[in-house]
């Protein structure tokens, strides 16, 4: 969630973890050097697979006899809170813990609690300097995480609902409807005047808010690490535009990543959704029966990014050697390509972006949209965004506040409460 996937994110289908509890910890007493080993991987959302699909892990187990992989999923907020609690306790962490890009800065000051991948001979040149720097200590001597995916930004839309409202359905014509986010909201008013009964323009105001900020270099923090959420004009502009759209009746008011939101996909309760690459997996996992009804257009403004994650290996584990080997394999270009084609997570490895399997990839689910070119094009002009220790938490606070506006809270009151909540969360 992988701001990327925010703390409010409930995974598409959270797996029951009770049966896995006995193997949920990295300090299981097994060693990487002697005999079979069980590696636990704690994730949020569809980091490496859609629900009930273990193909990526099965492949690793086939090629690494004696290794068994157990994946545990939890919602975004719980997942990251548990990581910190287990790091502080010195026990209980999984062999591999996924950390979202908006959260990773909060762990940089604890390099001793993670394996340093710079000591493991990892070739960091396969990623951009900015992507590597986010998971590195300021002096660059420690790298606590290996990048998995990056988000990019596009707009996913329902062609059948567009047609019903008299809007074009061709993706080029749809992209032309909204050169700016203001145009996107204006198009929402057009849609609303002829929309099928009960269908709204978008899912939730929080997604519009994050989409607008996806093309900004500085959002909640500046380059020096100062908290600027209250004073940054870009943040207030994004808030005001989201509120305008909500007050115009364009929002389905479905809290992002909630069960109601999941149902909204299935019932066609909204026509558009701000769509980083990883959102494709959520849509496919939530509403398989809508295959072919979706398409992908350019994001308003033409560029932006939202998302990404890092694979970390807590140093407290007993299986760190085997975990590092798995982490390197999971973040290799070959796996990046496979995961993009399977679930939509756009690979962070630069070498994959011009790979024919990526650049030429079209998604049948999304009406054969050229996802392999849409997302890298959105990244080409997107700024390298500044992330702070609580960027993910702050994004969640704003999403919750906009949801409260959708439920009738006065926007000014919601804004004031949001600023107080941010100060409490970020110090």
């Amino acid at each position: 969630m992988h701001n990327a996937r925010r703390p409010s994110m409930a995974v598409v289908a959270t797996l029951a973890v009770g049966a896995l509890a006995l193997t949920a910890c990295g300090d299981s007493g097994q060693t990487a050097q002697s005999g079979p080993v069980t590696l636990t991987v704690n994730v949020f959302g569809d980091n490496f697979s859609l629900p009930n699909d273990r193909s990526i892990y099965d492949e690793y187990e086939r090629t690494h006899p004696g290794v068994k992989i157990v994946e545990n999923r939890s919602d975004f907020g719980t997942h990251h809170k548990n990581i910190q609690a287990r790091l502080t306790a010195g026990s209980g962490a999984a062999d591999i813990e996924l950390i979202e890009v908006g959260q990773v800065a909060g762990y940089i000051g604890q390099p001793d609690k993670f394996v340093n991948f710079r000591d493991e001979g990892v070739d960091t040149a396969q990623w951009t300097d900015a992507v590597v720097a986010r998971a590195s200590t300021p002096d660059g001597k420690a790298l606590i995480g290996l990048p998995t995916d990056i988000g990019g930004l596009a707009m996913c839309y329902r062609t059948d609902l567009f047609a019903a409202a008299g809007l074009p359905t061709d993706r080029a014509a749809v992209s032309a409807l909204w050169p700016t986010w203001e145009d996107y909201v204006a198009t929402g008013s057009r849609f609303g005047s002829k929309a099928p009964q009960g269908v709204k323009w978008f899912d939730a105001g929080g997604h519009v808010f994050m989409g607008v900020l996806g093309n900004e270099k500085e959002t909640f923090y500046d380059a020096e690490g100062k908290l600027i959420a209250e004073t940054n004009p870009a943040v207030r502009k994004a808030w005001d535009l989201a509120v305008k759209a909500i007050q115009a009746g364009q929002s389905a008011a479905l809290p992002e990543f909630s069960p109601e939101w999941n149902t909204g996909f299935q019932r066609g309760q909204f026509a558009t959704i701000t769509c980083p690459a990883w959102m494709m997996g959520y849509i496919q996992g939530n509403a398989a029966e809508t295959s072919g009804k979706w398409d992908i257009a350019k994001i308003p403004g033409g560029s932006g990014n939202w998302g990404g994650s890092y694979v970390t290996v807590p140093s407290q584990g007993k299986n760190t050697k085997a975990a590092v080997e798995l982490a390197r394999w999971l973040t290799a270009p070959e796996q990046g390509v496979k995961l993009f084609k399977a679930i939509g997570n756009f690979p962070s490895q630069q070498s994959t972006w011009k790979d024919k399997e990526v650049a030429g990839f079209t998604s049948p689910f999304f009406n054969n949209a050229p996802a392999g070119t849409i997302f890298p094009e959105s990244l080409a002009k997107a700024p390298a965004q500044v992330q702070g220790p609580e960027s993910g938490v702050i994004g969640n606070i704003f999403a919750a506040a906009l949801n409260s506006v959708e439920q009738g809270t006065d926007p000014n009151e919601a804004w004031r409460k949001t600023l107080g909540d941010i100060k409490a969360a970020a110090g």
Side-chain angles (χ1 to χ4, degrees):
M1 26 148 112
H2 295 146
N3 182 330
R5 303 153 201 173
R6 293 196 296 277
S8 62
M9 176 177 290
V11 295
V12 173
T14 303
L15 299 184
V17 298
L20 303 178
L22 294 176
T23 57
C25 300
D27 54 348
S28 58
Q30 298 163 320
T31 65
Q33 293 78 20
S34 59
V37 59
T38 295
L39 295 177
T40 51
V41 181
N42 283 1
V43 305
F44 56 95
D46 301 327
N47 297 106
F48 296 122
S49 64
L50 291 175
N52 304 317
D53 177 5
R54 281 185 45 89
S55 57
I56 194 77
Y57 300 128
D58 290 342
E59 179 179 350
Y60 189 83
E61 291 175 356
R62 283 196 301 270
T63 56
H64 295 74
V67 174
K68 176 178 174 57
I69 300 170
V70 175
E71 181 190 83
N72 305 317
R73 298 186 182 204
S74 59
D75 70 86
F76 186 105
T78 300
H79 171 77
H80 288 93
K81 288 178 182 177
N82 285 345
I83 293 175
Q84 186 55 64
R86 290 162 181 168
L87 292 178
T88 301
S91 64
D95 295 299
I96 286 179
E97 296 277 3
L98 266 287
I99 299 179
E100 187 265 334
V101 64
Q103 299 282 314
V104 72
Y107 298 90
I108 294 301
Q110 309 169 69
D112 59 311
K113 297 187 183 299
F114 298 93
V115 168
N116 181 2
F117 285 105
R118 291 197 181 278
D119 294 338
E120 302 297 329
V122 173
D123 177 18
T124 59
Q126 61 187 301
W127 300 286
T128 66
D129 291 343
V131 168
V132 173
R134 290 193 188 106
S136 300
T137 52
D139 60 10
K141 293 182 179 179
L143 175 64
I144 69 167
L146 300 182
T148 57
D149 63 307
I150 49 179
L153 269 181
M155 186 67 70
C156 292
Y157 65 99
R158 283 280 296 264
T159 56
D160 56 333
L161 300 178
F162 269 49
L167 293 179
T169 59
D170 173 76
R171 67 182 67 98
V174 170
S175 298
L177 292 173
W178 49 62
T180 68
W181 279 99
E182 289 77 10
D183 293 320
Y184 170 77
V185 173
T187 304
S189 294
R190 285 180 57 192
F191 176 85
S193 67
K194 297 183 179 179
Q197 186 175 3
V199 178
K200 299 296 185 178
W201 183 229
F202 56 82
D203 58 327
H207 275 163
V208 174
F209 176 81
M210 291 305 300
V212 176
L213 291 180
N215 205 28
E216 298 290 336
K217 178 178 176 61
E218 295 181 345
T219 55
F220 308 140
Y221 292 84
D222 65 16
E224 285 69 48
K226 179 183 177 182
L227 183 66
I228 59 170
E230 179 177 359
T231 58
N232 186 354
V235 173
R236 186 60 199 239
K237 180 181 178 181
W239 170 273
D240 288 343
L241 188 63
V243 167
K244 178 181 178 180
I246 291 169
Q247 293 181 326
Q250 296 183 14
S251 178
L254 302 171
E256 301 102 308
F257 312 108
S258 67
E260 296 83 5
W261 182 76
N262 296 341
T263 301
F265 284 106
Q266 299 159 13
R267 296 181 177 176
Q269 291 177 269
F270 49 88
T272 69
I273 184 170
T274 304
C275 200
W278 48 263
M279 189 65 75
M280 292 194 296
Y282 276 90
I283 297 173
Q284 293 175 74
N286 268 315
E289 68 280 2
T290 63
S291 179
K293 295 181 179 180
W294 289 90
D295 210 320
I296 308 174
K298 290 183 178 179
I299 195 73
S303 60
N305 185 48
W306 178 12
S309 301
Y310 291 84
V311 174
T312 71
V313 175
S315 55
Q316 64 182 243
K318 305 299 183 185
N319 303 315
T320 56
K321 181 178 179 181
V324 166
E325 185 175 357
L326 174 59
R328 295 181 65 162
W329 186 86
L330 287 171
T331 57
E334 295 80 5
Q335 276 58 257
V337 172
K338 292 173 185 174
L339 288 168
F340 174 59
K341 294 173 67 177
I343 61 177
N345 289 0
F346 193 78
S348 60
Q349 304 87 353
Q350 298 178 85
S351 64
T352 65
W353 298 351
K354 294 184 179 180
D355 185 294
K356 290 182 179 179
E357 287 192 87
V358 173
F361 177 71
T362 60
S363 173
F365 188 98
F366 292 90
N367 197 29
N368 293 316
T373 58
I374 290 173
F375 291 103
E377 284 177 0
S378 76
L379 288 162
K381 296 182 180 180
Q385 293 176 306
V386 175
Q387 299 286 346
E390 303 295 339
S391 287
V393 173
I394 294 170
N396 179 57
I397 291 171
F398 273 112
L402 286 166
N403 184 244
S404 75
V405 173
E406 291 166 337
Q407 303 304 321
T409 300
D410 176 76
N412 292 323
E413 179 185 337
W415 174 261
R416 287 191 295 269
K417 183 179 185 302
T418 296
L419 298 183
D421 291 345
I422 290 172
K423 290 177 181 177

